[in-house]
Amino acid sequence: MRVVYYSVDQDHARWIPGLQAALPQAEVSLWAPGAPPADYAVVWKPPQQLLDEQPGLKALFNTGAGVDALLQLRLPAGLPVIRLDDAGMSVQMAEYVCHAVIRHFREFDGYEADMAHGKWSFRKPRSRLDYPVGILGLGVLGERVARSVAQFDFPVNGWSRSPKTLPGVQSFAGADQLDAFLAASRIVVCLLPLTPDTRDLLNAQRLARIRPGGYVINVARGAHVVDADLLAALDSGHLAGATLDVFRTEPLPAGHPFWQHPRITVTPHTSARTLRSESIAQIAGKIGALQRGEPVAGKVDPSRGY
Ligand code: NDP
Ligand code: OXD
């Protein structure tokens, strides 16, 4: 069995020995143009050439949860695409989002500003009931985040394509219930996959539906949010702030207004990193399962886009 690895991040020096150790029966190598035919490819943002030159793949493994970049390519019809299914990302996402929610709710940003001036000044306690948290996307990551936020006794809403039953989470489903979901939420967290249906979802009209004094946390993809509309909603006072981990162009270009905005927190696409050893163990386990003809989790449906 032959496995090829390619990542645009060029981090093969550790991935290839890791995959080789986890798949001792396989020959694992770095993909380069003209590489011999492989059975499986493990990739992050590969070039089209890899797919064109490897028509015999049995499956394509994505070393991330989001497959939006991969689905831009021409994939051989019927080629199974398998994404990371948690692999240590959901706990990171829960940490990041709980931190952002609590930092805003408890006004730590205000205390940081006060500290710079040596100012000792209490803020009035806020009621959690006034800060319902809405999670767009209740999949592998969104569900973990919803459960984690609910543990702090915030009211939690979730929006997905299909209705869900999760303790402490009010489920809203489908395009028809999006407005009701937004109207019921003050802190809105985006954990959707980027698809034609979800691109530009947080535009002026939708941002206006969030409760006044709202807060946006985007940890999915930059193109879910219309940048100019977010800035306008902040500047009008409708939104109180935003924490953004993902951007239309990454790295976020120097001079982008998000860098300087006093009520925006920027992090460099780091809310949930791919963890190499967890991911290699998951992918190797799935290659073994596929070789035995068993089903695997995390199979992408290209017609849905996730
Ligand atoms: P999943 O596929 O497990 O979950 C996707 C969720 O979105 C599901 O609940 C799905 O609904 C819902 N959804 C999809 N399309 C729609 C729609 N049109 N309307 C309503 N709901 C919709 O994905 P993950 O939770 O694993 O990951 C989510 C995204 O997070 C990834 O696609 C990636 O872009 C991003 N990500 C970002 C990272 C970062 O570091 N910033 C790290 C990892 C991931 P249903 O359940 O009904 O199918
Ligand atoms: C992912 C990401 O999709 O890191 O896994 O953004």
Side-chain angles (χ1 to χ4, degrees):
M1 175 173 56
R2 189 184 291 273
V3 177
V4 286
Y5 174 83
Y6 174 88
S7 167
V8 72
D9 297 337
Q10 301 193 319
D11 54 356
H12 51 269
R14 293 197 174 152
W15 273 82
I16 291 178
L19 281 165
Q20 186 64 77
L23 293 164
Q25 72 285 22
E27 191 183 318
V28 183
S29 58
L30 178 65
W31 177 83
D39 300 285
Y40 298 98
V42 178
V43 298
W44 181 244
K45 299 187 178 170
Q48 180 65 47
Q49 192 179 2
L50 185 155
L51 295 159
D52 293 345
E53 288 188 6
Q54 294 285 338
L57 291 175
K58 294 181 191 162
L60 183 63
F61 286 88
N62 186 52
T63 63
V67 288
D68 43 298
L70 206 49
L71 297 187
Q72 300 302 310
L73 302 175
R74 283 185 314 281
L75 299 174
L79 173 66
V81 174
I82 299 158
R83 70 189 189 88
L84 285 184
D85 178 26
D86 195 334
M89 282 194 270
S90 72
V91 66
Q92 298 177 66
M93 211 43 115
E95 286 162 358
Y96 183 103
V97 172
C98 287
H99 174 270
V101 166
I102 292 168
R103 177 171 179 261
H104 174 58
F105 174 69
R106 293 294 305 267
E107 301 185 78
F108 284 118
D109 44 358
Y111 290 120
E112 276 163 26
D114 289 351
M115 196 181 154
H117 298 102
K119 186 171 156 197
W120 179 277
S121 154
F122 296 114
R123 287 167 166 76
K124 284 196 195 126
R126 292 170 160 178
S127 166
R128 282 169 169 67
L129 296 180
D130 294 334
Y131 286 82
V133 180
I135 319 287
L136 291 160
L138 281 181
V140 173
L141 304 182
E143 177 180 334
R144 174 77 181 251
V145 166
R147 288 180 189 275
S148 303
V149 172
Q151 288 213 328
F152 290 100
D153 293 349
F154 289 98
V156 178
N157 305 310
W159 185 67
S160 43
R161 290 213 319 177
S162 48
K164 310 281 177 202
T165 308
L166 289 173
V169 180
Q170 185 175 353
S171 166
F172 295 79
D176 292 351
Q177 294 188 11
L178 178 57
D179 282 355
F181 163 88
L182 293 169
S185 306
R186 181 157 176 186
I187 299 180
V188 172
V189 180
C190 183
L191 261 169
L192 291 164
L194 184 64
T195 70
D197 289 338
T198 65
R199 180 176 289 274
D200 299 328
L201 188 99
L202 291 175
N203 59 17
Q205 190 199 355
R206 305 249 173 59
L207 292 169
R209 300 212 183 268
I210 299 174
R211 286 199 184 179
Y215 195 89
V216 169
I217 300 171
N218 188 15
V219 280
R221 290 290 183 263
H224 287 122
V225 174
V226 178
D227 293 3
D229 293 358
L230 178 70
L231 289 165
L234 287 164
D235 294 342
S236 74
H238 176 65
L239 292 182
T243 290
L244 306 174
D245 184 50
V246 287
F247 305 92
R248 284 176 183 256
T249 304
E250 295 182 359
L252 183 64
H256 192 288
F258 289 169
W259 280 120
Q260 298 301 331
H261 199 286
R263 283 179 288 130
I264 293 181
T265 298
V266 166
T267 55
H269 198 141
T270 194
S271 48
R273 306 291 296 269
T274 292
L275 302 179
R276 195 177 53 255
S277 35
E278 282 87 337
S279 305
I280 287 173
Q282 184 175 104
I283 291 167
K286 287 181 181 179
I287 289 177
L290 291 176
Q291 288 289 96
R292 295 189 296 276
E294 295 166 7
V296 295
K299 227 166 152 180
V300 171
D301 175 352
S303 68
R304 290 189 320 185
Y306 69 102

